[in-house]
Structures are given as structure tokens and as C-alpha cells.
Amino acid sequence: MTNPEVRGRPSAQAIDEAKRAKLAPLLELVGSDLQKVNEEILRRMDSDVPLIPELAGHLIASGGKRIRPMLTLGAARLCGYGGGRHILLSACVEFIHTATLLHDDVVDESDMRRGRATANTVWGNQPSVLVGDFLFSRSFQLMVETRSIEVLRILANAASVIAEGEVLQLTTQNDVETTQERYLQVVEAKTAALFRAACRVGAVIANRPVEEADALEDFGLNLGVAFQLVDDALDYAAEQQELGKTIGDDFREGKMTLPVVLAMQRGNAEERAFWTRTMADLEQEEADLGRAIELLERHNAVADAIALAGRYGERAIAALDIFPESDTRNAMQSVVEFCIERRH
Amino acid sequence: MTNPEVRGRPSAQAIDEAKRAKLAPLLELVGSDLQKVNEEILRRMDSDVPLIPELAGHLIASGGKRIRPMLTLGAARLCGYGGGRHILLSACVEFIHTATLLHDDVVDESDMRRGRATANTVWGNQPSVLVGDFLFSRSFQLMVETRSIEVLRILANAASVIAEGEVLQLTTQNDVETTQERYLQVVEAKTAALFRAACRVGAVIANRPVEEADALEDFGLNLGVAFQLVDDALDYAAEQQELGKTIGDDFREGKMTLPVVLAMQRGNAEERAFWTRTMADLEQEEADLGRAIELLERHNAVADAIALAGRYGERAIAALDIFPESDTRNAMQSVVEFCIERRH
């Protein structure tokens, strides 16, 4: 809570606009491509089985920020790519992401996403699982159309790592002994794997030297970790409520995100018993979320998680140093700021 | 019930052996390859996250017949393939199949599969969904290793068609107006798509003329439909109970398989009301399964479904006529008999 903007309590709308401004430079450069990606997405989620576009569209059209496809477009642009395969690949990356969201919401029994009822709430778990499978296989069809084995290798590996990360997260859930290292392992797998792949494939289709592909991958990896660290911290940030977001979802599910990992390590016996009761045993009372936020504050746990996100963000920005300065490079680096500053 | 063997009531074990004998010729020819496939499967389902091999192994090691990978091995052999990619592809096909089984059991809320508790019963729905995703993405990693875009295209398309078929099945479930045409559309998508792809890729890796790939695909498609028709008929075949299998699962879920489609069309108003109550409204009483079997018998519905399976089986056998007679061709055709005669 040391940020002056937060102390000054600007309106939720002003915050939202300032936040989006950091995405504006990239959006300006790749906006027309992103429009094509959106059209491709709509075309490719179509099916003779009406429930598929209906359910997929509910989530896809619900106003996600399309950060991952923007990264693929930005990476391709940074590598001077002049063809058309980046549109297919960006749609593909968004399909993988959407498939994982559908399955995540089933697994987490979530009710709300992006301010709307989740697909599993509206249609039930069964179609959510199966439409997720459809989008996932559709993403592979899109990849195949790029006719690049290297692209397929990168994205198939990413998909596999994501699934492994999701299972790993499930096994750490409710485990109050989860370490920072294990937490970061989950985050690198379930979130950063797709960010890094989304960036790398942009360089690969442009046939750029491996150093550039490696640099973009490094950028995506660090950006992805920063993104998830902030996301997890936001779940305990009271000011989020002003933006109409619910807080405490991770707490209610007993998800061991970094703030809790740190508070658990730094807490006394009584505090550790509190975390064990609420996170491991899931015995929670009305006042527990408030108490959790108080303990996180006492141990600087949210601030430290955000600070760690900042360090990952710096690494992401530095990774692009091998590219000469350009509007595109600046715009890509601005995405890092967007991800870090989402909390304001 | 016109088969003399059934009237003579041979022991369950004798039935089982006779049944398996039809798979024996192919097993003899591809047995050593199938052993390699099994080893590849075990190697590839491994992960640093212990829950993955644990859960996947529960299903994979539970004694499935490996018909789909055997078809890939047989098709490759029929096309004179001499390389090693058929092992990878067969493992890949089995992974796709296993992933769909895991998700099917979640969607159907099934308790038992292959005589064991389902993974969702043992570990819950969450890991079943996620480990299914893992196996699915792992199957794509295996495909990528074949470095054949054509193979990837065929299997990515198959995966997409399967998912579409599963969603379509969900929308026909409890719909007593389901037609035979719609039923066959579901079966071609959810089951036959993988059979046909499993066969076609065998010809593709062998670089055989398109006529041979088409013939094998035609074989797989018709075999797959026959297989599912028999599978669905078996769910109402009382003699299955002697083999230790439960019957009536489809009935209890209100799945509109062909026997019920036919009985509904052929029934009088009172019978149609029975099907509407039990299958659409899922209001079922103890005696209803017996009554359902009685109605199916009255309208020859199970026998007609089996007869239709026989016609698909004949088409499958005829599809291989373009290949000169050989042990391999005979063994592949014998798989058709295995699938048709499973009911004994």
C-alpha cells in the first residue's frame, strides 16, 4: 500500500484506463493483426454441433485481454516476420489458453470468470470438459496448418508442461508446507510455459537465429511468472474490490500461492495453526479472510510477492536487449509494466 | 439369441477364450511390436509429478485390449513398413484413446471400467480431467517425433472430430427423438474417427499410394462403427452378466443408443411413454431395465443393431480387398470378426 496512487484512491475507471494504457503501444502496432486473429478464432471455433460455438463463445467473447496472442504477434513483428502464419499461431495460442480456462473452472468449481458466470455454471461440467478438449484439438489443427514441425514441437511441449503444472498445483493445494521453489515450479509450468511458447514461435516462423528465439522465450518465461505472481497477489488485495473483482478465491480453495507460503514460513505457531486450519483443513469462518489479509500485511507477504514479480519483470525487459531499440521492442517491454502494475 | 453357442450356454471362460482367439492371428504377427508399444507407453506416461503415472497407469495397465495400436501396427505391416515410427504412433493412438476414456468417465460419472474402479472414483474428477489433458498433449509430442505433417494432420483432425462427437452425444443424450442417422453420426465421430486414423497413419508412414491409405481408412471407419454398435448392443445383453459385466449403464444414463432408437420408433404410444419417462426424464424404477430389455426383444432391436454391425463389418473386410491375400490381411480381417462376435 505504499504506492501514492493507491493512497490517493483514484476512481476504479481511472485505474483501469491507466492500466490499459500500458498495453496501448503494442495494441497500436498489432491491432489490425489482432482483429484478424479474432476473426480466425470465431471462424475456427465454429462447428456443426451448436453447443460448441455457443459455449466456447461465451468465454472467448467475454473480453479477455488476448495478451498471449498479442505476444505472438509482437514477437513475430520484432523478428521482422512478413508472412501470414502468425495469425494462425496467435489463434492457436488463445485456443490452448481457453481450453485450459474451461478445464480450470471445472477443476476449481469456479462460478465467475471475467465478471460472467463460468461455462460450467451455465452448461455444467460435462460440456465444459468436452468443449475444452475440442478447442485443444482445434489448436493442434491450426498448428498443423503452419506446416512447421518446430512450431508443433514447441507448442506440444508447452501443452504437456501446462497439464503437468496443473496436476502439480493440485497436489500442492492444501499443502501448507509448500515452498517458494515448489510454488514457482507450478507457476513456470501452468502459466509461463504458454507465455514463453507464444513468444518463441513468433521468432521461429520468422526463421530468425536461435539467439533471438531464445531471447523471446526468456522474455515470455519471465513475463509469465511475473504475471502469475501479480495475479496471485491480487487475490488478497483489498483495492481489487473497488474494481468489482472478488478477492479471496484462492484462500477459499486453499491454494498455496506465494503470499501464503511466505506468511506461513514467517508466522509464529499460532499463525501457522491458522493457515493449517484454513488452507489445509479448509475449516473457514466468516472473519478468516480478513485475518489472512492482516497476517499477510504483518509479514509483508503480498508486497514481497509483488517485489519478486518486479524482479522477474526486469529480467523479461532485459531479455529483449539483444534487439535494437524500436517501437515494437518498447511496446513489448511495456507489456511487462502492464502485468506488474495490474494491482493499481 | 439365435446363436446356438448362446443357447448352449458355454462357460464364461470358454466364451472369453473363443472371443480372444479372433485377435490371436494379429497378435501373433505384431506381438513383439506391441510389447515395444507397451514399453513406450510406460516410458511416456512418466512424469516428475507422481500422480500422473499413478493415475494414468491405473487405467493403462488395467488390461485394455490395445485394439487401436494393434490396428496401427497391422496397417503398417500390411503396407510393408520397415521403420520404427509405427511404435511411436501406436503409443500415441493409445494415449488419445486413454485421454478420452478418462474424460468420458468424468462426464458419465462412471464408477467402473474394465472391472476396476474408475480413476475419477479413486482420485476424483479434478486429476482425471488434468491427467487426461496431459496424455492428450503427450500424444501430440509423440506425433511430432514422427516429423510427418501428414500424420499430424490426420491425428489432429481425428482428435477434433472425437471431441465434436462427444459433445454431440451429450446433446442427443436423453433426447428420445434421436434418429438412427444421428446416432451413427455420433458413433462415426466419437469412436470410428480414431479407428480410421489409427489405420490410415500406418499406410502414411509407409509412404504407400493413396489408394492403400484410403482402403485402410475405410477399413478402420467401418470397423469402428461395427465395434461401437456391438458395444452399445452389449449393454442390453443379459448374457454379459455371466462375464461379470454390468449391463444397463447406457439405460441408466439415458443414452440413446441404436437399440433404444429402434424400439422407440417401433413402439406403440404406451411404449414410447415408457422410453420418454426412463430415458428423457430419467425417472427409473427397479423393474425398468427388465422391461426395457423385454421391449427391445419384442422389436428385435438388439438383433437388428447387431445385424447392422455385421454389415459394417462386411464393408470393413471388403475394404482390404485391394491388398493381396496375406497372413497380415487375414489377421486384420479377423479383428472384424472379433469385434462383431464379442457378444458371445
Side-chain angles (χ1 to χ4, degrees):
Chain A
M1 304 289 183
T2 54
N3 187 296
E5 279 184 11
V6 172
R7 276 204 303 269
R9 295 275 173 217
S11 74
Q13 200 190 349
I15 293 168
D16 215 40
E17 277 166 17
K19 194 174 75 171
R20 288 184 190 280
K22 302 290 186 180
L23 271 187
L26 186 56
L27 201 54
E28 193 161 319
L29 295 174
V30 303
S32 67
D33 277 348
L34 191 61
Q35 187 52 39
K36 288 182 200 157
V37 173
N38 281 332
E39 287 160 15
E40 193 69 33
I41 285 173
L42 290 175
R43 196 159 40 236
R44 296 309 184 102
M45 74 183 197
D46 205 14
S47 163
D48 292 336
V49 184
L51 180 56
I52 291 176
E54 203 179 314
L55 192 152
H58 176 80
L59 180 54
I60 286 177
S62 69
K65 292 173 293 298
R66 305 269 196 274
I67 289 184
R68 295 160 191 80
M70 278 173 74
L71 290 175
T72 301
L73 297 176
R77 188 184 171 93
L78 195 55
C79 291
Y81 179 64
R85 295 189 293 174
H86 60 321
I87 305 296
L88 281 178
L89 276 181
S90 302
C92 161
V93 162
E94 188 69 3
F95 273 174
I96 295 177
H97 174 56
T98 310
T100 63
L101 292 186
L102 282 174
H103 287 184
D104 275 359
D105 285 341
V106 169
V107 165
D108 293 343
E109 299 169 1
S110 306
D111 300 327
M112 297 289 286
R113 164 151 334 251
R114 297 175 182 163
R116 305 178 72 177
T118 54
N120 44 303
T121 311
V122 179
W123 288 276
N125 286 340
Q126 301 169 321
S128 292
V129 169
L130 298 176
V131 174
D133 290 348
F134 173 81
L135 292 177
F136 194 42
S137 53
R138 187 52 49 105
S139 79
F140 276 94
Q141 290 181 296
L142 283 161
M143 278 175 232
V144 168
E145 288 179 34
T146 68
R147 303 194 70 78
S148 162
I149 289 286
E150 182 59 9
V151 158
L152 278 150
R153 195 187 60 75
I154 293 165
L155 287 167
N157 288 353
S160 178
V161 169
I162 292 167
E164 255 179 324
E166 299 271 5
V167 180
L168 185 62
Q169 173 171 267
L170 211 56
T171 62
T172 65
Q173 197 157 330
N174 313 117
D175 177 2
V176 289
E177 302 302 330
T178 301
T179 60
Q180 173 165 329
E181 188 192 356
R182 177 53 63 99
Y183 164 80
L184 287 171
Q185 196 185 345
V186 170
V187 167
E188 282 187 24
K190 74 162 190 165
T191 306
L194 190 54
F195 275 77
R196 73 197 284 188
C199 291
R200 184 170 193 112
V201 293
V204 166
I205 51 170
N207 281 316
R208 298 298 303 166
V210 70
E211 291 74 23
E212 295 190 13
D214 287 348
L216 276 161
E217 178 170 350
D218 198 20
F219 170 79
L221 168 63
N222 285 289
L223 174 61
V225 174
F227 178 90
Q228 189 63 53
L229 274 163
V230 172
D231 210 58
D232 289 344
L234 287 179
D235 202 61
Y236 292 99
E239 63 263 36
Q240 285 300 303
Q241 285 181 304
E242 295 171 27
L243 296 177
K245 296 182 182 174
T246 55
I247 61 167
D249 282 345
D250 293 340
F251 180 73
R252 279 183 284 274
E253 291 167 24
K255 274 199 186 152
M256 289 299 293
T257 58
L258 189 57
V260 177
V261 168
L262 296 177
M264 174 77 188
Q265 283 170 354
R266 296 168 183 175
N268 59 30
E270 186 267 326
E271 291 171 19
R272 292 170 59 88
F274 168 81
W275 293 115
T276 302
R277 170 174 65 79
T278 54
M279 304 296 278
D281 306 336
L282 287 180
E283 285 173 18
Q284 298 186 5
E285 291 156 25
E286 181 97 20
D288 283 340
L289 177 59
R291 166 104 166 109
I293 290 172
E294 192 186 297
L295 292 182
L296 296 177
E297 185 95 354
R298 177 183 305 169
H299 295 292
N300 231 25
V302 171
D304 282 355
I306 297 279
L308 184 60
R311 291 199 292 282
Y312 276 96
E314 282 162 22
R315 273 180 240 160
I317 288 170
L320 296 189
D321 281 350
I322 71 156
F323 294 93
E325 208 203 316
S326 67
D327 285 352
T328 308
R329 197 188 81 172
N330 292 341
M332 289 287 273
Q333 290 173 330
S334 184
V335 176
V336 178
E337 295 172 48
F338 165 78
C339 289
I340 302 289
E341 295 173 12
R342 281 193 301 153
R343 70 184 176 124
H344 306 154
Chain B
M1 305 289 182
T2 55
N3 188 296
E5 278 184 12
V6 173
R7 276 203 305 269
R9 296 276 173 212
S11 74
Q13 199 190 351
I15 293 168
D16 214 39
E17 276 165 18
K19 196 175 75 173
R20 288 187 190 281
K22 302 291 186 179
L23 271 186
L26 186 55
L27 202 53
E28 193 161 318
L29 295 173
V30 304
S32 68
D33 277 349
L34 191 60
Q35 187 51 41
K36 288 182 200 157
V37 173
N38 281 331
E39 288 161 14
E40 193 69 34
I41 285 173
L42 290 174
R43 196 158 41 237
R44 296 308 184 103
M45 73 183 197
D46 205 13
S47 163
D48 291 336
V49 184
L51 180 55
I52 291 176
E54 204 179 312
L55 191 152
H58 175 79
L59 180 54
I60 286 176
S62 69
K65 291 172 294 298
R66 306 270 197 272
I67 290 183
R68 295 160 191 80
M70 278 174 73
L71 291 175
T72 301
L73 297 175
R77 188 183 171 93
L78 195 54
C79 291
Y81 179 64
R85 295 190 292 173
H86 60 322
I87 305 295
L88 282 178
L89 276 182
S90 302
C92 160
V93 163
E94 188 69 3
F95 273 173
I96 294 177
H97 174 56
T98 310
T100 62
L101 291 186
L102 283 173
H103 287 184
D104 276 358
D105 285 341
V106 168
V107 166
D108 293 342
E109 299 170 359
S110 306
D111 301 327
M112 298 288 287
R113 159 138 358 236
R114 297 175 183 164
R116 305 178 72 176
T118 53
N120 45 304
T121 312
V122 179
W123 288 275
N125 286 341
Q126 301 169 321
S128 292
V129 169
L130 299 176
V131 173
D133 290 348
F134 173 80
L135 291 177
F136 194 43
S137 54
R138 187 51 50 104
S139 79
F140 277 94
Q141 290 181 295
L142 283 161
M143 277 175 234
V144 168
E145 289 180 34
T146 69
R147 304 193 69 79
S148 161
I149 289 286
E150 182 59 9
V151 158
L152 279 150
R153 195 187 60 75
I154 293 166
L155 288 167
N157 289 352
S160 177
V161 169
I162 292 168
E164 256 180 324
E166 299 271 6
V167 180
L168 184 62
Q169 172 171 268
L170 211 57
T171 62
T172 65
Q173 198 157 328
N174 312 117
D175 176 3
V176 289
E177 302 302 329
T178 302
T179 60
Q180 173 165 328
E181 188 192 355
R182 176 54 61 100
Y183 164 80
L184 287 171
Q185 196 186 346
V186 170
V187 167
E188 282 188 23
K190 75 162 189 165
T191 306
L194 190 55
F195 276 76
R196 73 196 286 188
C199 290
R200 183 171 192 112
V201 293
V204 166
I205 51 170
N207 281 316
R208 298 299 302 168
V210 71
E211 291 74 23
E212 295 190 13
D214 288 348
L216 276 161
E217 178 170 349
D218 197 20
F219 171 79
L221 167 63
N222 284 289
L223 174 61
V225 174
F227 179 90
Q228 189 63 53
L229 273 163
V230 172
D231 211 58
D232 290 344
L234 287 179
D235 202 61
Y236 292 100
E239 64 264 35
Q240 285 300 304
Q241 286 181 302
E242 294 171 27
L243 296 176
K245 295 182 181 172
T246 55
I247 61 168
D249 282 346
D250 293 341
F251 180 73
R252 278 182 286 273
E253 291 167 22
K255 273 199 187 153
M256 290 298 293
T257 58
L258 188 58
V260 178
V261 169
L262 296 177
M264 175 77 187
Q265 283 170 354
R266 296 169 184 176
N268 59 31
E270 186 267 326
E271 290 171 20
R272 292 169 59 87
F274 168 81
W275 293 116
T276 303
R277 170 174 65 79
T278 54
M279 304 296 279
D281 306 336
L282 286 181
E283 287 173 17
Q284 299 186 4
E285 292 157 24
E286 181 96 22
D288 284 339
L289 178 59
R291 166 104 166 111
I293 291 172
E294 192 187 296
L295 293 181
L296 297 177
E297 184 95 355
R298 178 182 304 169
H299 294 293
N300 231 24
V302 171
D304 283 355
I306 297 280
L308 184 61
R311 292 198 291 281
Y312 275 96
E314 282 163 21
R315 274 180 239 161
I317 288 171
L320 296 189
D321 281 349
I322 72 155
F323 294 93
E325 209 202 314
S326 67
D327 285 353
T328 308
R329 196 188 82 173
N330 292 340
M332 289 288 271
Q333 290 173 330
S334 184
V335 175
V336 179
E337 294 173 49
F338 166 77
C339 290
I340 302 289
E341 296 174 13
R342 281 193 301 153
R343 69 184 175 125
H344 307 154

